[in-house]
Amino acid sequence: MAGLSEYTLITPTAGISVDAHGGRAKCLQRLVRLDMPVPRTLALSFDVVAGIAAGAMPDTSAIMREFAEGALISVRPSSEDPDWGGPRAVLNIGMNDERHAQFVEQEGRASANALYLRFIHAYAIYVARLDPDMFEDISIHAGDPDGDKALKDALQAYEDETDEVFPQDPARQLGEVLRSMARVWTGTTARLLRSAKGAPENAGLGLVVQEMALGISGGVSGSGVIQFVDSQTGLPQVTGRYKSQSQGRDALAGKDNVMFLNKDPRGTSLQSLLPDQFDQLLKDGELMRRRLREEMQIEFTIEEGVLSILDAVRVQRSARAALRIVVDLARDGVISREEALTRLNPHSLTELLHPQVDPSVKRDTIARGIGASPGAAIGKIVFSATAAQHAAAKGESVILLRRETSPEDIRGMHASVAVVTEKGGMTSHAAVIARGLGLPCIVGAHGLKINTRKKTLVTDDKRHFSEGDELTVDGSLGEVLAGPAKLLDAALDDAFTTLLDWADDVRDIDVRANADTPSDALTARRFAAQGIGLCRTEHMFFEDDRLTVMREMIFADGAEDRRTALDRLMPMQRADFQELFEIMKGQSVCIRLFDPPLHEFLPSTREGTLELAEGLDLPVSTVTARIAALTEFNPMLGMRGVRLGITIPEIYDMQARAIFEAAVEVTKRGDIVVPEIMIPLVSAQKEAELVRSRIDAVAAAVRYVEGVDFTYRLGVMVETPRAALRAGDIALNSDFLSFGTNDLTQMTYGLSRDDAARFMSEYVKQGVFAEDPFHVLDTDGVGELLMIGAERGRAARPQVVLSICGEHGGNPESIAFCRQAGFDYVSCSPYRVPVARLAAAQLAVADGLKLRTITGSK
Amino acid sequence: MAGLSEYTLITPTAGISVDAHGGRAKCLQRLVRLDMPVPRTLALSFDVVAGIAAGAMPDTSAIMREFAEGALISVRPSSEDPDWGGPRAVLNIGMNDERHAQFVEQEGRASANALYLRFIHAYAIYVARLDPDMFEDISIHAGDPDGDKALKDALQAYEDETDEVFPQDPARQLGEVLRSMARVWTGTTARLLRSAKGAPENAGLGLVVQEMALGISGGVSGSGVIQFVDSQTGLPQVTGRYKSQSQGRDALAGKDNVMFLNKDPRGTSLQSLLPDQFDQLLKDGELMRRRLREEMQIEFTIEEGVLSILDAVRVQRSARAALRIVVDLARDGVISREEALTRLNPHSLTELLHPQVDPSVKRDTIARGIGASPGAAIGKIVFSATAAQHAAAKGESVILLRRETSPEDIRGMHASVAVVTEKGGMTSHAAVIARGLGLPCIVGAHGLKINTRKKTLVTDDKRHFSEGDELTVDGSLGEVLAGPAKLLDAALDDAFTTLLDWADDVRDIDVRANADTPSDALTARRFAAQGIGLCRTEHMFFEDDRLTVMREMIFADGAEDRRTALDRLMPMQRADFQELFEIMKGQSVCIRLFDPPLHEFLPSTREGTLELAEGLDLPVSTVTARIAALTEFNPMLGMRGVRLGITIPEIYDMQARAIFEAAVEVTKRGDIVVPEIMIPLVSAQKEAELVRSRIDAVAAAVRYVEGVDFTYRLGVMVETPRAALRAGDIALNSDFLSFGTNDLTQMTYGLSRDDAARFMSEYVKQGVFAEDPFHVLDTDGVGELLMIGAERGRAARPQVVLSICGEHGGNPESIAFCRQAGFDYVSCSPYRVPVARLAAAQLAVADGLKLRTITGSK
């Protein structure tokens, strides 16, 4: 029951579409339309292939009759998106004893045997599903130069295994190939693989049946693969190989007799051998790029000097190549800049910001975990923050290994090139800080045991590593590798800068960085953040000399003593802020007032306690008692943030003074600074009101003493559900509301991000949560609170500035949400800023916005 | 500038109102209308008195002219609510040398001197503000029987101090008294005192100027105070005293020559002395009760045999007397039952449920704290749960003293008669459990140090108490008393029952109890709860034999071993549930599935760990590692509730089976049981869905095995903000939604109730929070989530049952909120059930509802 509906001849006007016949069929039609030398090709639609899988075989004799008498044919998969995979191509269908005899006649025995052998192998393995091992040894080799024995063995092996002679009827061969390919597509493996790449449940498979251009005739025949850019860099470069007397992608796989394409001192080349055909390929490539608006890789055959183009696919590319390619396409006018912006996954930029393990090297992976901060680094392992600092002081690169990290480890993390922890998830302390610092980081590492006391790392398969041994951390893939691996540098080249300039030129929501230190701030500037959206100040109290004073403050008797201790911290804080203001000059810096519970500043070990008692000249029992008194059941929900600010107001007074004096200092030098002060953990309007009145008083005092006027903005970090619900009241005392989605997510779910790591993967696996809400903003729950807060805040105070500053800030999904909700900016860790800029630009482009600047690229 | 507007003569038709002239003036007018012998009285309005304070004095000569020539007068305060206090009454205004001489003539020297002296004292102290010490020794005594010297000394002392002779002009005397009283009212002390009693900022003071009936003439003169019920019990009983030749309330203050009112074998009585006047008083009293619709206390004077009624005020009453009085008023048809219900503060019922420290005894208070659970108890002090259990086993009453309590202390708390902790607030573990058990409890106790190791309690003033010493805990007032104090029994008498029957007859929202144990359930029934709204099951795992199995479960390798351990717990659980079902038979029992984090079941000490390792036959290091692995940063936000149910489903499977098998067992005996199963800590619909499908499967299995059909309801405890926001989805899998306001408050505020205790009082004091949100439902924030949850739940599933089961459940404010929101029931600790029943009834009455039953009282 052959019929027109069962297959479509690919002609310029045939009804071929990506969603009925797949991308490959459509691409081949485009090549046909461009008048390229594509052999005769038929397309089988998704429906027909699905029918084949279900048992409804088309008339394969009719299909064979569509091709030249005696021609061999190939079948290739054609799914909607080439990334979704599919069955392997099968070549040389139609080959049998009779044609073999003809080929022996025409092309010689060796060529004929090679053609037949290739087909038998493919058919046996992919269609008859025989054990590949059976055919492993059957090949043409020195002792059998023409391959007569190999062919005989292969036919015999087939017969032995299947109890029938190798099928001789081309129509039957084709039918079996089609059935086999159709069924592979419906198998579990293929379904899982493509669903992991985002294919829908009902993704279809089309097939492309093409007359073979053999490439094995005489001396001017062969096959090859060519592309015009480098897959790693994206820079223009003719890349590929050509092999005489070969088929398919043999030129890429083989080693012997493979030729370069363009002239090369290292050996023969297609360009020198067949200059006309080579020129034709260049011309076809250029035409393809212009008309298909993409960098393509071409599969071609030359038969008796005649060029055929069998297929063309998108060039495989690294993230950096992808970026370069789209920028070049746009610069060359092939695509618009707006389209260039939409062609990249924003997340892929992250890879470019950090060195990467060279993908071409073999990996000696000793443990895996969650890749919590991307990039790769090589270093000697250490097991404590102190060891990291000592080694770093000696100029060594070190990797910090910990069960988990705490605020006391921050200086050690600063001193390291990478961090690995056994515990924790994407939003654990180690992960958050590492992302902020741009350090490669793996958390929740399994397959290893870290023994901090013995300073050893032992893997599950009993490999031992000790302090000082060198490892490589691949934070992008979440793998720990033994020894130093080959790394590729970060790629912040002109293409990167250009693309992000274009992004800035179209996007309509601002992007700031969360930056706590001068080094963060420099990174923020480097990535063109529009100010600092969240500067956490607590780290400033962990440095050695400050920690001591901080502890004196905690142990002070009454407000007066506290103030004395804080007066000593003030100049240091002022210097911190001054440095930040200078780095960020002209941009907003939003400083969050002191947030963590005081017990974080007290020692957690017996030795630490003794040392502290000595330092403060207090009885150990007093120190122990004070530590016990400050201990909390649920520190996350305890005495921190504005609660400290209200009960121990001296801390905020000191910070406000430091901020204002720093601002005055910078202003005096002629720079513009408008500091923003943010109050954390507010849950009631009155909290903001009380803090505001004290801070206004401090500002008045500083203005009076310094004789310099300055302005500042005061706002609230909305991170409790109640603050979101009461945003209307709270906005009355707030110039801005910044949604801290980390804590807001924790409280909305009643879920500590540190403790959730133990079951989150199980939860996501079971589909209880669609996604880890600490990773992807929960728009249904947390998102609703954001909307409520934003609406009420705006209603009460139309000019209130709205933003988010949680870990979610840099996620494209969150940016879409915030943009929709009319937020003024998102703030994210410095290394997420480029991602956020591009993601925001894509949203603007999707809404039909155009770049504002229409002159040439900057 | 005298005028009608400056004062109003109290006549039956005069324009006197409570909100212009105060309660006393209005009450006196009512007595006048009842034709009672009230001396001539003028009322000064709030406005006039305010004017006086501001310097606008009325024409006091005109006022004096309103009274008989030469009469003495009194001035009494008349604020809107008598509880708001006010200046003291001043008697005998108009007394001066001239009138003194006349009185000497008419009544004799002693009486005249006494009158004058009383006035000079009052004038000097309250008007001229002289030091009371100056006049302390000036009184009539044995050496000066007529008081000539005392009078002379008093006049001299006044002159010495003020440099002027004692004012002789009655009009001036009155003016000074009025000014003084008006100014006292505007003073800070008076303002603070009345605002503490709920008076508004602008509360006014009226004054009542009355002609004195002197009560000092001849033998048939005197004064007294009478009431017709006992102030402690509320039972009918003529109570009061009469004293010849006395004024004002002298009869109550004095000891000498005081008479009983009705005939009494212990001495003379008014009834025998002046039977007609006594009968008149009884008649007037009865009339007053009927027409003023209240039990009144009457101040009266008899002058030359003529009865005058000077004043009448509401009888002072204990909580139990208040209840008896309103029930009797309603039974006698004086007030309606609906009004009876509104006359009591629901909170006052709490006092009746427990023994109380006799208010008449002197208290040796050694420490104070938060009265977290009312009632009083006497016991020997112990410092550990184990000691409590041992002592209780010997039949001793013990008071458990702890720094704080944890779930491991529950059995010790059960064994105690009272609990005192140093840490914690109204909703700390100790407080919540003690309220559930009905134990007097003080938390956050200050003024003492508990040393658990030495087993001593030392007060700030260095009093030492050791294990076994006897103390009294007054959980109502939050005081620890040394030694055993005299206690009054609980008062669950017929008046109590009657009133609550009336309450049930009108209220339109159900009241259930939170009850975990058979003893709780019995209390719930005793207080007529309409079922159990929250049965927490975790305590069932803390009993010794069960704890061991529980720990085996925690240390089990894989689901199979876990199931084996749980299989051993199942029969015990089943027995627990069966007992509860039997006690509550016919009523709903809502069982919350296992909620706490597993680490609560593991030892927290080194010894406990060793013991456990031995018991489980495991290396200590394994046990330590497991404990460490289960430790959480923020247990409140960690691996508990449904998260355990999903990741270790065997626990819920076991509990469901125990519940269903118990239900089958009870059903077989012919009782009706519809168990309700509640899933804790849900934050996503899918959690409820997954648990429901497993529980339905367990139910099907039990039905099949037992061959008995039964129904059950499955619902969700809404205690995360997200669950409230997503209540629409969640309701699709829930027969009921019960709002757990404890956790919901914690998460909405981002505030742990245990950790908040450290600053909550400071916060409330500074007005940051209007109230402790763990104590009074935060209607603005948490309440909005309740409303959102209720609306969305009902919209998605109109028949879904809505309730609250947090600590707030028993608060009148919360009940009002839930009733408004259309909730089906509130659930609270058993001892709050009567409060909740009455509060709910008051809300119904306020909405105009009537008792459904109109026959006689039950």
Side-chain angles (χ1 to χ4, degrees), chain B residues 358-681:
Chain B
D358 185 337
S360 65
V361 304
K362 199 167 144 33
R363 304 166 73 92
D364 182 8
T365 304
I366 60 168
R368 289 189 169 77
I370 301 168
S373 176
I378 299 165
K380 296 180 171 178
I381 57 174
V382 294
F383 295 83
S384 72
T386 321
Q389 287 175 255
H390 289 162
K394 289 187 279 175
E396 289 177 354
S397 295
V398 293
I399 295 170
L400 179 61
L401 304 182
R402 302 285 289 161
R403 304 243 10 239
E404 66 199 325
T405 65
S406 67
E408 295 178 16
D409 292 319
I410 285 183
R411 285 170 58 92
M413 294 179 73
H414 262 281
S416 307
V417 298
V419 177
V420 178
T421 68
E422 262 186 69
K423 288 191 165 189
M426 276 306 283
T427 48
S428 64
H429 179 265
V432 172
I433 300 299
R435 279 198 292 278
L437 297 175
L439 296 181
C441 174
I442 299 172
V443 297
H446 46 90
L448 54 72
K449 275 258 169 289
I450 292 171
N451 188 321
T452 310
R453 207 165 40 73
K454 293 192 189 159
K455 298 181 185 164
T456 58
L457 177 166
V458 183
T459 68
D460 282 359
D461 51 355
K462 302 297 171 207
R463 293 172 69 176
H464 278 66
F465 299 87
S466 308
E467 188 158 279
D469 287 351
E470 214 166 33
L471 297 182
T472 301
V473 171
D474 182 344
S476 306
L477 293 183
E479 292 186 354
V480 183
L481 313 180
K486 187 177 164 215
L487 301 188
L488 301 177
D489 283 344
L492 307 177
D493 54 14
D494 67 306
F496 179 89
T497 314
T498 301
L499 188 88
L500 285 172
D501 280 348
W502 295 346
D504 292 350
D505 209 20
V506 69
R507 71 186 156 84
D508 53 4
I509 183 168
D510 285 0
V511 176
R512 293 197 194 179
N514 300 344
D516 303 346
T517 63
S519 128
D520 290 345
L522 288 167
T523 309
R525 281 229 89 125
R526 184 149 54 100
F527 293 143
Q530 294 162 289
I532 294 180
L534 173 61
C535 169
R536 287 164 287 235
T537 54
E538 38 274 16
H539 74 96
M540 301 175 179
F541 299 94
F542 277 109
E543 296 184 25
D544 267 357
D545 45 344
R546 303 183 183 190
L547 187 55
T548 309
V549 188
M550 191 65 192
R551 288 171 169 179
E552 281 173 27
M553 192 277 289
I554 296 172
F555 278 84
D557 283 333
E560 208 42 59
D561 281 7
R562 269 201 297 274
R563 211 172 328 234
T564 309
L566 287 165
D567 280 349
R568 288 165 57 202
L569 288 171
M570 208 283 290
M572 310 185 208
Q573 277 261 289
R574 187 178 51 207
D576 293 332
F577 294 134
Q578 200 173 320
E579 196 174 354
L580 282 178
F581 292 156
E582 278 162 4
I583 293 170
M584 300 305 296
K585 78 181 64 161
Q587 293 196 329
S588 298
V589 176
C590 182
I591 297 162
R592 181 177 73 180
L593 295 172
F594 190 85
D595 183 54
L598 292 181
H599 50 77
E600 286 196 6
F601 297 88
L602 298 179
S604 54
T605 62
R606 176 95 189 127
E607 299 77 51
T609 308
L610 288 175
E611 207 173 292
L612 178 59
E614 221 160 72
L616 293 172
D617 197 18
L618 284 171
V620 179
S621 60
T622 306
V623 174
T624 311
R626 186 95 188 102
I627 293 175
L630 286 175
T631 300
E632 296 185 305
F633 297 102
N634 294 286
M636 175 62 51
L637 306 176
M639 177 77 156
R640 48 174 280 249
V642 70
R643 295 163 195 164
L644 271 175
I646 300 242
T647 44
I648 312 183
E650 301 81 18
I651 302 179
Y652 284 6
D653 287 355
M654 180 280 280
Q655 290 197 300
R657 189 148 74 89
I659 291 167
F660 294 139
E661 290 188 8
V664 165
E665 199 55 42
V666 176
T667 307
K668 278 181 183 166
R669 299 188 195 169
D671 286 325
I672 299 164
V673 190
V674 177
E676 298 176 344
I677 298 180
M678 180 152 72
I679 313 169
L681 207 69

